[in-house]
Amino acid sequence: MVQAKTWTLKRHFDGFPKASDFEMKLEQLAEPRSGEVLLEALFLSVDPYMRPYSRVRMKEGDVMIGGQVAKVVQSRNPSFPAGSVVVANCGWRTHAVSDGAALTPLAAGWPQEVPLSFALGAVGMPGLTALYGLEEVCQLKAGETVLVNAAAGAVGSVVGQIAKIKGCRVVGCAGSDRKVAYLRELGFDEAFNYKTVTSLEEALKKASPEGYDCYFENVGGPFSSAAMPLMKPFGRIAVCGSISLYNDTTPQTGPYIHTHMIFKQLRMEGFLCSRWARKDQEALQKLLAWVKEGKLKCHEHVTLGFENMPAAFMGMLRGENTGKAIVKV
Amino acid sequence: MVQAKTWTLKRHFDGFPKASDFEMKLEQLAEPRSGEVLLEALFLSVDPYMRPYSRVRMKEGDVMIGGQVAKVVQSRNPSFPAGSVVVANCGWRTHAVSDGAALTPLAAGWPQEVPLSFALGAVGMPGLTALYGLEEVCQLKAGETVLVNAAAGAVGSVVGQIAKIKGCRVVGCAGSDRKVAYLRELGFDEAFNYKTVTSLEEALKKASPEGYDCYFENVGGPFSSAAMPLMKPFGRIAVCGSISLYNDTTPQTGPYIHTHMIFKQLRMEGFLCSRWARKDQEALQKLLAWVKEGKLKCHEHVTLGFENMPAAFMGMLRGENTGKAIVKV
């Protein structure tokens, strides 16, 4: 009999999450029955979406939602043999018994030299989100100028690199000079620290005086108010996240955007990467190929120890990570 | 030699337009040369777009922009014979000499019983705007629920009627009980006076408890803040106008919409009817057919006298019109 450690949502977050909002609980797992497998977590993901989802998808006492890379340690399901590695959407837990429904095998042909944890980053949900946001939502064309914020994060850093692969000019914004240096390393054409510029509007104008064709939105709030007037006619805004708003206790307000939307005929679309799930396998192969070719880099910010998951999550929400925030069990 | 009366923008509007912002000027017109025609205005249009366009498309002293239905009184252009009726994009003027570039003949097969002024309304730019907004932007499907505001206006009243023709459920909002009665006459499923409800949110919820698939936006501002949380997943918002914002001297603010956009995967698109100009002739025939069949009604709010154009324009911006605001020379 295996005992799983889990992190539960003790009480719904009110404003920025606090350590006392989480509670670790032990769970006795039954032996896997026919069709089931026993999983052991290797790497767990902490992602911004968990903050808003906690309110709509979880009740107090539930195990925190999230993905992990896990090893199958016992198998009664031939699709997932013992010893194989899977991506499991089974929440913040060290062990799980699964009937396979929330499991995905590692992308076919995963090479030894690519870290398994990349399946939670550039070759996983964040990578797919970046790819679908650019291809499906923005319908990005070579030669266009792309703006991305939270650009040193798990999604933003992939957005910028894919846009470069596709022959675009990329402007990225991040919240520290170290992150900005990282963006330059990744090949962004322009990058700046939005926290130290005197005027965000001026910095955005300077970075692309002719404006922006595509705007990959990870931040929302006042950043979006500064960027919206700088969109080119027929510009596209892919709304992936709004991390600057997730911890609001009273909603932030900003100028209405209608006039820009109308006279520049802008298109703004919110999206979740699950919409294109039927394309995931093909898309993961594309991402994996770029990683192997060295065109797509994935820096990881690794926190050690399952017990530090809340700290890793809160640190990620504060922007402490450069690249993908990961917890190694 | 013909003398044209014109209304010019004396000074740029600062807040709500005032009578003193306009100036009537006389203009001596030269004889039409080869390829040119002399036009005499029959009906002139006053439309909301003129307010924001005045700032971006005009300088002080310019003749106010706008469309009119005019008679060709003298012709040296075989495409527009003397006696024919045209739609002319030549501004607020009683007479004009045109080389034909800004002229469109009346839609082919225009029947005697359809008033010529409809070419400025249901069978003109506002009708096209309604049609393209629903078909091209919203990609409306039968059985969906459509929300439209400023629903008794030139565009809104056509939006509701086309949505009904297409088998949708329609909720319309307007600013007076008389207008609401008009919406019921037109066949709207639900209609209410947004000025007299205690809570706009509650009224919108009550009118469609399951939410809205499509939202045809003519108003913007606080109305949009109330409507946005009520969109269904994959809802579409066609941003046609934002009349509640056009006269702002300092921009109004409202809650950021990112979270709704993301988690409901909403698509919001601003548009100008000129985008689909290549389809205009076909679309006008569709609108004209609906008018002939009695499926598309066009109430007109007629102001008499060219000298009253500024008053008609300001009245329209105040919402005094039910249906299309027209000036009859």
Side-chain angles (χ1 to χ4, degrees), chain A residues 39-256:
Chain A
L39 302 174
E40 185 179 286
L42 302 174
F43 300 96
L44 292 106
S45 190
V46 287
D47 297 287
Y49 77 84
M50 295 167 178
R51 173 62 184 87
Y53 265 50
S54 69
R55 183 62 67 176
V56 290
R57 299 277 167 95
M58 299 175 64
K59 54 185 196 306
E60 292 179 352
D62 283 355
V63 174
M64 287 289 298
I65 52 172
Q68 57 175 252
V69 168
K71 196 167 75 178
V72 178
V73 288
Q74 211 181 322
S75 175
R76 297 188 63 191
N77 182 327
S79 303
F80 304 101
S84 67
V85 174
V86 296
V87 179
N89 193 16
C90 61
W92 293 18
R93 50 168 63 245
T94 57
H95 296 81
V97 169
S98 164
D99 63 1
L103 305 186
T104 326
L106 218 54
W110 192 284
Q112 199 91 45
E113 69 272 20
V114 175
L116 293 176
S117 52
F118 276 32
L120 300 175
V123 193
M125 184 275 288
L128 292 172
T129 302
L131 186 69
Y132 294 145
L134 290 174
E135 290 189 346
E136 305 287 337
V137 182
C138 289
Q139 301 181 355
L140 190 68
K141 289 184 283 294
E144 292 191 319
T145 300
V146 178
L147 172 63
V148 57
N149 50 22
V155 174
S157 59
V158 180
V159 167
Q161 292 178 86
I162 295 179
K164 287 307 296 174
I165 291 171
K166 289 180 175 285
C168 293
R169 200 169 161 271
V170 181
V171 176
C173 306
S176 78
D177 290 349
R178 208 182 82 182
K179 290 181 184 178
V180 168
Y182 172 61
L183 298 182
R184 296 228 168 85
E185 255 174 59
L186 292 181
F188 282 58
D189 297 282
E190 297 281 340
F192 65 85
N193 180 347
Y194 72 89
K195 287 186 182 167
T196 56
V197 293
T198 35
S199 155
L200 186 52
E201 288 81 352
E202 288 309 311
L204 287 169
K205 259 186 219 166
K206 202 182 140 203
S208 182
E210 69 289 353
Y212 298 94
D213 299 285
C214 296
Y215 167 21
F216 196 106
E217 173 71 281
N218 292 313
V219 171
F223 191 104
S224 69
S225 300
M228 199 58 74
L230 304 177
M231 295 303 293
K232 291 191 200 175
F234 297 103
R236 287 89 69 200
I237 301 138
V239 190
C240 169
S242 54
I243 198 165
S244 73
L245 305 171
Y246 291 158
N247 295 303
D248 285 352
T249 44
T250 51
Q252 290 178 63
T253 60
Y256 287 106

Side-chain angles (χ1 to χ4, degrees), chain B residues 16 45-51 92 153-154 179 243 246-247 301 303 309-326:
Chain B
F16 198 92
S45 190
V46 287
D47 297 286
Y49 77 83
M50 295 165 177
R51 172 66 183 85
W92 294 16
K179 290 180 185 180
I243 197 166
Y246 291 158
N247 294 304
H301 179 95
T303 302
M309 285 216 61
F313 177 62
M314 293 185 285
M316 179 276 303
L317 287 180
R318 271 191 296 267
E320 290 170 3
N321 56 306
T322 295
K324 176 71 187 104
I326 289 285

Side-chain angles (χ1 to χ4, degrees), chain A residues 244-282:
Chain A
S244 73
L245 305 171
Y246 291 158
N247 295 303
D248 285 352
T249 44
T250 51
Q252 290 178 63
T253 60
Y256 287 106
I257 58 175
H258 299 79
T259 312
H260 303 299
M261 296 290 297
I262 298 166
F263 292 105
K264 289 190 182 153
Q265 306 199 57
L266 304 179
R267 181 164 56 79
M268 182 173 181
E269 188 166 356
F271 72 103
L272 301 174
C273 127
S274 54
R275 197 194 310 181
W276 298 278
R278 67 189 186 286
K279 298 189 176 184
D280 280 1
Q281 287 316 309
E282 190 190 332

Side-chain angles (χ1 to χ4, degrees), chain B residues 96-114:
Chain B
V97 169
S98 164
D99 64 1
L103 305 186
T104 327
L106 217 53
W110 192 282
Q112 200 91 42
E113 70 272 18
V114 175

Side-chain angles (χ1 to χ4, degrees), chain B residues 51-284:
Chain B
R51 172 66 183 85
Y53 265 51
S54 69
R55 183 61 68 175
V56 290
R57 298 277 168 93
M58 300 175 63
K59 54 184 197 305
E60 292 178 353
D62 282 355
V63 174
M64 287 290 296
I65 52 172
Q68 57 174 250
V69 168
K71 195 166 77 177
V72 178
V73 290
Q74 210 181 322
S75 174
R76 297 189 62 191
N77 182 327
S79 304
F80 305 100
S84 66
V85 174
V86 296
V87 180
N89 193 15
C90 62
W92 294 16
R93 48 168 65 246
T94 57
H95 296 82
V97 169
S98 164
D99 64 1
L103 305 186
T104 327
L106 217 53
W110 192 282
Q112 200 91 42
E113 70 272 18
V114 175
L116 295 175
S117 52
F118 277 31
L120 300 175
V123 192
M125 185 275 287
L128 292 171
T129 302
L131 187 68
Y132 294 145
L134 290 175
E135 290 189 347
E136 305 287 337
V137 182
C138 288
Q139 300 181 357
L140 190 66
K141 288 183 284 292
E144 292 191 319
T145 299
V146 178
L147 172 64
V148 57
N149 50 23
V155 174
S157 59
V158 180
V159 167
Q161 293 179 85
I162 295 179
K164 286 307 298 174
I165 292 170
K166 288 180 175 285
C168 293
R169 201 168 160 271
V170 181
V171 176
C173 307
S176 78
D177 291 347
R178 208 182 84 181
K179 290 180 185 180
V180 168
Y182 172 61
L183 298 182
R184 297 228 169 85
E185 256 174 61
L186 292 181
F188 282 59
D189 297 281
E190 297 281 341
F192 65 84
N193 180 347
Y194 72 88
K195 286 185 182 168
T196 56
V197 294
T198 35
S199 155
L200 186 51
E201 288 80 353
E202 288 309 312
L204 287 169
K205 259 186 218 165
K206 201 182 139 204
S208 183
E210 68 289 353
Y212 297 95
D213 300 285
C214 296
Y215 168 20
F216 196 106
E217 173 70 281
N218 292 313
V219 171
F223 190 104
S224 69
S225 300
M228 199 58 75
L230 304 178
M231 296 303 293
K232 290 191 200 174
F234 297 104
R236 289 86 70 200
I237 301 139
V239 190
C240 170
S242 55
I243 197 166
S244 74
L245 305 171
Y246 291 158
N247 294 304
D248 285 352
T249 44
T250 52
Q252 291 177 63
T253 60
Y256 287 107
I257 58 175
H258 299 79
T259 312
H260 303 298
M261 296 289 298
I262 298 165
F263 292 105
K264 290 193 184 153
Q265 306 200 57
L266 305 178
R267 180 165 56 79
M268 182 173 181
E269 187 165 356
F271 71 102
L272 301 173
C273 128
S274 54
R275 198 195 307 181
W276 299 279
R278 69 189 185 287
K279 298 190 176 183
D280 280 0
Q281 287 315 309
E282 190 190 334
L284 288 171

